[in-house]
Amino acid sequence: MHLSTTGRTMILRRRLGPLLLLAILLVVIVVSVTRTSSTAVAVPTVADLQEGAKQAANALANPSLPKFWNPFSPGAHPPDQADSSSEDTRWYSDLRWLNPFSSEIVLDESRALLPPLQPRQSIYAYYEASKDPDIAQAEQKLLLAWRRAWWAKGFKPVVIGRAEAAKHALYPRITRLNLDAKLEMEAVRWMAWGFIGGGILSHWLAMPMTDYEDSVLAFLRRGRYEPLISFKDIKHGLVCGDHARVNAAVQEFLEVAGTDEGTSFMQSLSANSWQYVDAENAIAYYDEESVANTYGRVAKVLVEDRAAGLLMLQKLINAHLHITWQRSFPKGIAVLQPHSDTTTALGSFSIRLARDLAACPSSPMPSICPLNMPDCKPCTGTVSDLSLSTPDTFQNDSKTFFIGTVPHPYTFTAMLHSKETLDVPFLRRDTMRDQWLNATTTAILGSKIGGPSRLVLFKDAVASPFAMTHSLWVTAERTEAIQRDWLFGFELPRATSGRVPLGSDAISTSQLAKQRMLLEMARETMGSKAQESLVRSVEAWNLADTEAWRFVQAFGVRRRTERETWEAEESKYASFAGGETKMS
């Protein structure tokens, strides 16, 4: 058989390949040995050998695993966070908040795991109090309305004044320009804004009259404003800009104002300093010109008696904020009521809140719409056309506002079985585990899903960014944590309280009275030290229900604590009434 030249070459490569690898390996070994032999090696002394023998003997006599390798070592509790407790409620904010059971993360049965607080973008309003006390008091009510409205939309409203402007490096130049009062006020307003760091500057008559998810509000919450931004429809009612550009605008105005006294502040700035953006009907600015053109009755009172006119304007703005909220949920309000035949009293607070939300607000001009929604459907009667339903299971519908009441498992078990007292044998013999959570999620998850999976859905329905603006969850035992006017952004009317609506079922007055008695007895038992062991037994029997209750309670208390902490911080700098009772 004759091989071609190519064939011979291939056979030669196959034979030489292993030999070549062997040669390379030998070279590597020789080099390594040579380098090692050239390095000085320390010879152990007799003392070193004796010490090593002692350590080996001790290790054999007392065997142990390294600490980092020991799987049985106890876990470490996470450290306490600032503002993470209030009275007997404690929580820990962490990205793992959707873990079914908080104790698996925080290693504490009484500590709830909550999502981290979303940072709030500051929004500033410049204000100088009127010398007339009646006018000043009316202005403060409008300031309160402004603060509530922006807080409910995820912002941190801050009122600034001449004290901030006076600390600006360019403030002394204002007094040397002899500007008219209106122009000086605008310049001082921008100086106060520049000193505080820029961001968003709003007039306290500019209100967020739209949904929380509106694109304009989403843009404002992001906090990135490259050029100076002005909204076409509201002029100087709302402007945005970073720190450097705001201060540059103040400098530019001072240079122009010294040569042209008739120039307004915004006109003094070069055209390329601004980016004009369409507000897209998100902001309603109730300045004098707009009020005079649209709300003649209010404008007339403003001229005749300014204090009375401002109070009338505050009622008008509050009514507009309310009907804007109603417009966001065309399918109405749903109040969760599982087993309503025996637990109706649990939802009494939620029903009253739903009725107040569905009521028509008091307005000096009820048939006139907000400035940015001229074609809205006014609410002119006593009750709007929002429907009120009482489903027995959770519903996920973006066009329906959902209100849920979460009872403690002791409360729910006592009311479900109409028992004034509970005991452990009854629990184990006659009750099912986690009855409330199973009843409220079966329609969505079915009956074969366990408590941990139901908790993940439940927590997302309570505390996700979407859920926070489309639902409200409270505990049956504690409703004082809900500051409803700040939560919704407007002052709610108090609808006339009548019989609690129950959907298709109806119970007698005596049955409702008994349920209320059982609810009160359950509250007393939960607060009793003597019954603490029994309450803990009920919690151990209903781990998922207990986790849901503790999660909602901590979430509501933290929301209240966040606002109170901000209010207390602002009170250090504000010298006017701007809170629920006062701001100073």
Side-chain angles (χ1 to χ4, degrees):
M1 181 175 61
H2 298 281
L3 295 175
S4 64
T5 304
T6 304
R8 293 194 194 97
T9 303
M10 293 179 63
I11 293 174
L12 184 59
R13 287 179 179 177
R14 291 194 188 103
R15 293 177 179 177
L16 291 179
L19 294 176
L20 182 60
L21 290 176
L22 181 60
I24 293 173
L25 180 61
L26 288 173
V27 171
V28 172
I29 293 174
V30 171
V31 171
S32 301
V33 171
T34 303
R35 289 186 176 181
T36 304
S37 62
S38 63
T39 305
V41 179
V43 179
T45 64
V46 175
D48 293 335
L49 294 174
Q50 291 176 345
E51 181 63 26
K54 290 180 180 179
Q55 293 179 0
N58 183 60
L60 291 173
N62 302 286
S64 64
L65 292 173
K67 291 184 178 180
F68 65 85
W69 189 257
N70 185 5
F72 304 105
S73 60
H77 293 273
D80 285 339
Q81 299 168 328
D83 300 320
S84 62
S85 64
S86 178
E87 298 178 355
D88 59 342
T89 303
R90 300 170 61 240
W91 60 87
Y92 185 78
S93 302
D94 192 87
L95 291 173
R96 297 169 291 179
W97 62 278
L98 280 175
N99 193 77
F101 293 102
S102 301
S103 58
E104 295 177 356
I105 305 298
V106 300
L107 306 179
D108 188 344
E109 295 291 342
S110 61
R111 200 174 178 188
L113 188 65
L114 300 181
L117 273 174
Q118 295 296 320
R120 290 177 175 267
Q121 176 64 35
S122 296
I123 180 170
Y124 304 100
Y126 184 88
Y127 172 72
E128 288 190 22
S130 172
K131 295 180 181 180
D132 186 317
D134 293 334
I135 295 177
Q137 185 175 8
E139 289 174 344
Q140 290 157 13
K141 288 185 176 295
L142 281 164
L143 277 169
L144 175 58
W146 177 82
R147 295 171 70 240
R148 270 195 312 237
W150 284 101
W151 178 267
K153 293 297 187 287
F155 294 85
K156 183 168 66 175
V158 178
V159 180
I160 56 178
R162 192 169 287 266
E164 285 79 12
K167 295 181 180 180
H168 196 284
L170 299 176
Y171 181 77
R173 294 180 57 180
I174 287 290
T175 58
R176 297 196 295 266
L177 290 176
N178 295 320
L179 302 174
D180 64 81
K182 185 175 182 181
L183 187 56
E184 181 191 4
M185 177 67 73
E186 188 66 13
V188 171
R189 178 174 178 249
W190 275 67
M191 282 187 174
W193 183 32
F195 171 78
I196 210 70
I200 310 173
L201 180 63
S202 166
H203 194 284
W204 41 273
L205 290 175
M207 304 290 176
M209 205 72 63
T210 186
D211 302 336
Y212 186 95
E213 296 83 8
D214 185 88
S215 59
V216 173
L217 297 188
F219 162 75
L220 293 176
R221 281 192 293 265
R222 282 195 290 269
R224 295 191 295 270
Y225 324 110
E226 292 301 328
L228 292 174
I229 298 173
S230 176
F231 294 90
K232 299 177 183 178
D233 301 331
I234 54 179
K235 304 174 184 176
H236 60 278
L238 189 77
V239 290
C240 309
D242 60 27
H243 190 200
R245 293 179 185 272
V246 172
N247 284 329
V250 172
Q251 178 70 43
E252 185 177 353
F253 166 76
L254 293 176
E255 293 174 356
V256 175
T259 59
D260 187 359
E261 297 181 358
T263 304
S264 69
F265 189 96
M266 298 185 71
Q267 290 175 344
S268 68
L269 305 182
S270 58
N272 57 7
S273 299
W274 291 99
Q275 178 182 350
Y276 295 95
V277 179
D278 189 354
E280 299 180 0
N281 299 326
I283 313 295
Y285 181 32
Y286 293 82
D287 61 336
E288 292 186 3
E289 180 182 353
S290 299
V291 171
N293 294 335
T294 311
Y295 310 108
R297 180 184 175 191
V298 177
K300 181 181 179 181
V301 178
L302 277 170
V303 173
E304 298 172 350
D305 184 345
R306 184 164 181 79
L310 290 174
L311 291 175
M312 185 178 290
L313 180 61
Q314 186 270 331
K315 289 185 178 181
L316 180 71
I317 291 174
N318 187 79
H320 288 172
L321 289 167
H322 192 165
I323 64 174
T324 299
W325 183 91
Q326 293 176 341
R327 177 174 168 266
S328 302
F329 302 100
K331 289 188 177 181
I333 305 170
V335 179
L336 182 64
Q337 281 197 333
H339 299 287
S340 59
D341 54 336
T342 57
T343 63
T344 296
L346 291 177
S348 296
F349 170 83
S350 299
I351 286 293
R352 289 195 299 270
L353 176 60
R355 297 182 64 184
D356 291 345
L357 287 168
C360 285
S362 174
S363 172
M365 301 180 70
S367 61
I368 306 299
C369 294
L371 289 169
N372 60 328
M373 291 186 291
D375 299 326
C376 79
K377 184 178 181 180
C379 190
T380 56
T382 57
V383 181
S384 69
D385 57 359
L386 283 181
S387 63
L388 178 63
S389 60
T390 55
D392 56 0
T393 60
F394 171 69
Q395 298 175 347
N396 187 15
D397 187 345
S398 62
K399 296 182 179 181
T400 302
F401 188 79
F402 198 84
I403 305 176
T405 303
V406 184
H408 187 276
Y410 184 97
T411 304
F412 188 73
T413 303
M415 297 189 68
L416 184 64
H417 297 277
S418 298
K419 289 183 66 69
E420 297 182 6
T421 59
L422 301 178
D423 55 67
V424 174
F426 170 77
L427 289 174
R428 301 185 63 180
R429 183 179 60 251
D430 298 323
T431 68
M432 302 291 291
R433 295 178 185 267
D434 304 318
Q435 297 175 94
W436 183 87
L437 191 61
N438 289 331
T440 55
T441 58
T442 297
I444 295 178
L445 298 178
S447 59
K448 298 182 180 180
I449 301 297
S453 298
R454 296 181 188 277
L455 280 172
V456 173
L457 170 72
F458 174 77
K459 290 185 176 184
D460 186 72
V462 172
S464 68
F466 178 84
M468 289 173 60
T469 58
H470 289 75
S471 65
L472 173 64
W473 296 81
V474 298
T475 59
E477 296 77 16
R478 294 183 63 173
T479 58
E480 70 276 7
I482 304 302
Q483 298 171 323
R484 53 191 224 162
D485 293 352
W486 287 89
L487 182 65
F488 295 102
F490 49 86
E491 186 177 359
L492 272 72
R494 268 57 178 178
T496 55
S497 58
R499 183 187 172 96
V500 177
L502 304 175
S504 58
D505 297 327
I507 62 174
S508 64
T509 304
S510 60
Q511 288 176 312
L512 186 58
K514 182 179 181 181
Q515 291 182 18
R516 289 172 176 166
M517 179 196 69
L518 292 173
L519 175 59
E520 188 60 33
M521 292 179 67
R523 288 172 176 166
E524 293 176 358
T525 300
M526 291 176 58
S528 171
K529 288 290 184 181
Q531 300 294 331
E532 185 174 357
S533 177
L534 174 60
V535 174
R536 296 294 173 263
S537 297
V538 176
E539 292 178 350
W541 185 252
N542 301 276
L543 291 177
D545 277 4
T546 302
E547 176 72 17
W549 177 82
R550 188 170 286 124
F551 183 86
V552 169
Q553 175 174 273
F555 190 75
V557 173
R558 187 185 69 169
R559 180 163 44 197
R560 183 197 65 193
T561 303
E562 177 195 13
R563 197 196 70 80
E564 290 178 346
T565 301
W566 159 72
E567 191 83 17
E569 184 66 22
E570 281 299 294
S571 67
K572 300 176 183 177
Y573 310 103
S575 58
F576 57 89
E580 291 290 358
T581 55
K582 67 176 184 177
M583 186 162 175
S584 57

